[in-house]
Amino acid sequence: MPLPHRFGLLRESDFRRLFAATALGQLGDRVVFLTLPLIAIVALDVGEFQVGLLSTTTMAGSLLVGLPAGAWVDRMRKRSVLVSTDLLRALVLASLPLAWWAGVLTVWWLYAVALVHGVLTVFFDVAYVSYLPHLVGREHLVEGNSRLSAVRSVTSIGGPAVAGPLVGWLGAPVAVLVSSAGMAASGVLAAGIRKREPGPERGERPRLGRDIKEGLRFVLHRPVLRATVLTDGTFNVFLVMYQTMLMMFLAREIHLGSFGIGLVLSGMGCGSLLGALLAARASRWLGQGPVIWLAPLVTCPLTALMALARPGWSVCVAALGLAALSLGGVVRMVAQASFQQALTPDRLMGRMSATARFVSWGGLALGGVLGGAAGSLLGARLTLCVGAAGMTLSLLPALLSPLRTLRELPRAQDPVHTADQAPAAPTP
C-alpha cells in the first residue's frame, strides 16, 4: 500500500501534534475519572450521597455553560482555546494534591475542582470539534474523526489499567498529578501546531442571546442536523439508564468482583477501538447517512444479552454484546460528527457543537435519573431490557430524516440571518 494511503493524515505534522495531544489529554481524563471518586471515598471518607453529588457536579458544566460556550468560542481562535483550557485544567487539577499535602483538602474543594474542570472541558470540547475542519479540511473529516476516535478508544482501554496501579502506588490525591501533567503536555503539543486559522469575522457587536439563538436556529431548522442531535440525545438517555444498572447487576446478580467488572468494561473499550478502525470503511460501504441509523439497529439489540445472563459462561457472551454496542456507537459518532462539521460554516461551528453537546449531556443527566427510578421500580434486569430497547429505537430520528439515503457528506451552508428569510439553496 502506498505511503499516503497507509498513514493518511498522520503524515501531516500538525495533525500528528493534535493526535498526540488528544492521547495525552484523554489519558489524563481517564485517570481523573477514576481518582476523583476515590479521593472522596478513601481520602475524605464521604458518604454515598456526596459521591453521587460529585458525579453530578462533574457533568454540571455542560448544562451551565453549554450553549453560551458555543457563542463565545465562535468569537475566538480555536487553537488558543485548546491551549489555554488544557493548561488551566492542569493547574486546577494540581491544586488537589497541593491541598492534600497542606492538610486543607475538603469535599467542597473537590466539588469546586470538579465543577471548574467540567466547565473548562466544555470549552475545550466545543473548540476541538470546531477546529478539526480547519486543520484537516472538510474532505478529510471522516478520516480525521476516525483516527481521533481510535486514540480515545485506546485510552479508554489503557486509562483504567494505568490509573489503578497509580492509585495503589501513589494514592489517589497524588495520582491526580499524572492527569495534570497529561493536560499540560496536551496544551504544549497543541501550542506547537503551526497552521493558523483566520481570525473570527468582525461583524456587528456581539450579543450573547442573539448568537445563541442563531446557533439553535441553525441546528433545529436543518433536518439532518436536527436528526443527528435528536438521535444522540435519545441514545444517551437510554445508554445511561442501562449503565446505571449495569454495575449493580454485575455486582449483585452476577456476583462479579472488581476485577471481573473491569474486564467487562475493558471489553467495551476494545469494541470502541474496533469501531474507530472500521468507521471510515463502514461509511464508504453503507453510505455516510445510512450508517448513522444502521449502526444502532445492528448492535444495540445485542445489549439485551446482558439481561439474560446468569453467573458463568453466559456473562462472556453478554460482554460481547457490550463490545458490539461500543463498536456501533463509535461508528455512528464518527459519521454523525462528520455530517455536523461538513454542514456547518466556520463562523457557526462552535455554536453547532455546543448545541449538540447541550442536548447530548441533557440526555445523560435525564438518563441517570430515569435509570435510578426504573431500577427501583423494575429491578436491574428489566431496566437493562428497557435501556437496550430504547437505544435501538434511538435510530428513528435518523431513519425518518434525509439521512436515510444520503450517501455523501454535504457542503456547508450559511444559515439565514433573519427568522423570516428563506435559505438561498435547498438544505439537507
Side-chain angles (χ1 to χ4, degrees):
M1 183 180 294
L3 186 65
H5 296 290
R6 179 178 297 175
F7 293 103
L9 288 172
L10 289 175
R11 296 180 302 117
E12 304 291 334
S13 60
D14 282 344
F15 184 78
R16 286 200 304 271
R17 290 186 179 92
L18 181 65
F19 186 86
T22 300
L24 290 170
Q26 288 290 313
L27 184 60
D29 261 342
R30 290 294 90 196
V31 176
V32 167
F33 181 77
L34 179 65
T35 53
L36 285 187
L38 285 176
I39 292 173
I41 295 167
V42 178
L44 301 178
D45 194 27
V46 303
E48 290 85 350
F49 176 76
Q50 290 169 302
V51 174
L53 187 58
L54 178 62
S55 298
T56 302
T57 306
T58 303
M59 292 190 295
S62 286
L63 301 180
L64 290 174
V65 300
L67 293 177
W72 287 323
V73 167
D74 277 335
R75 301 283 177 178
M76 307 174 188
R77 292 183 186 271
K78 311 303 185 293
R79 189 184 69 94
S80 299
V81 176
L82 295 179
V83 174
S84 59
T85 51
D86 260 341
L87 297 179
L88 286 172
R89 287 191 296 175
L91 287 174
V92 168
L93 291 173
S95 74
L96 283 174
L98 293 176
W100 180 69
W101 282 326
V104 296
L105 182 61
T106 66
V107 70
W108 296 106
W109 193 305
L110 205 58
Y111 289 155
V113 168
L115 180 61
V116 174
H117 181 270
V119 169
L120 291 171
T121 299
V122 172
F123 281 92
F124 178 89
D125 288 348
V126 169
Y128 187 88
V129 172
S130 306
Y131 186 58
L132 186 64
H134 166 76
L135 186 65
V136 305
R138 293 177 182 270
E139 67 276 14
H140 299 300
L141 283 174
V142 173
E143 181 190 352
N145 282 313
S146 297
R147 292 191 181 277
L148 295 174
S149 292
V151 74
R152 291 190 203 103
S153 301
V154 169
T155 57
S156 73
I157 300 170
V162 171
L166 277 175
V167 170
W169 179 36
L170 302 174
V174 182
V176 175
L177 281 177
V178 176
S179 293
S180 178
M183 299 291 180
S186 175
V188 170
L189 283 167
I193 296 175
R194 290 172 295 183
K195 188 175 183 180
R196 297 292 186 265
E197 60 182 317
E201 297 177 7
R202 298 297 178 186
E204 52 186 311
R205 182 183 177 186
R207 294 180 182 175
L208 185 60
R210 182 197 62 202
D211 289 348
I212 292 173
K213 182 179 178 181
E214 186 180 8
L216 285 168
R217 186 169 66 243
F218 177 77
V219 172
L220 298 179
H221 284 191
R222 279 154 179 77
V224 165
L225 293 181
R226 186 171 63 242
T228 59
V229 168
L230 290 176
T231 295
D232 200 38
T234 305
F235 179 85
N236 282 339
V237 169
F238 290 100
L239 173 65
V240 175
M241 281 187 67
Y242 189 95
Q243 290 179 328
T244 299
M245 287 297 107
L246 177 61
M247 300 290 284
M248 185 172 293
F249 179 79
L250 291 173
R252 295 187 178 178
E253 300 198 29
I254 304 298
H255 307 297
L256 285 182
S258 57
F259 179 75
I261 293 174
L263 284 179
V264 171
L265 298 181
S266 293
M268 294 181 70
C270 293
S272 298
L273 176 59
L274 184 58
L277 297 176
L278 294 177
R281 189 170 298 176
S283 293
R284 287 196 301 269
W285 286 346
L286 303 173
Q288 300 283 354
V291 78
I292 293 177
W293 59 268
L294 281 170
L297 177 64
V298 173
T299 60
C300 288
L302 297 176
T303 58
L305 293 172
M306 184 58 72
L308 304 176
R310 298 291 187 273
W313 63 268
S314 62
V315 179
C316 299
V317 177
L320 293 177
L322 298 181
L325 170 68
S326 297
L327 186 156
V330 171
V331 169
R332 175 182 64 84
M333 287 300 298
V334 167
Q336 175 177 290
S338 301
F339 256 108
Q340 291 171 342
Q341 292 162 335
L343 268 173
T344 307
D346 290 340
R347 72 181 194 87
L348 276 170
M349 195 69 74
R351 279 167 280 179
M352 178 281 297
S353 173
T355 300
R357 183 186 173 95
F358 184 80
V359 174
S360 174
W361 281 69
L364 293 175
L366 178 60
V369 174
L370 293 178
S376 300
L377 292 173
L378 305 175
R381 195 179 295 272
L382 282 179
T383 302
L384 293 180
C385 293
V386 173
M391 286 187 287
T392 303
L393 293 175
S394 70
L395 62 87
L396 289 176
L399 182 63
L400 299 176
S401 77
L403 288 170
R404 183 176 63 255
T405 56
L406 276 177
R407 299 190 61 84
E408 300 292 336
L409 289 179
R411 297 180 62 184
Q413 296 183 3
D414 213 7
V416 295
H417 293 278
T418 61
D420 56 351
Q421 181 181 354
T427 306

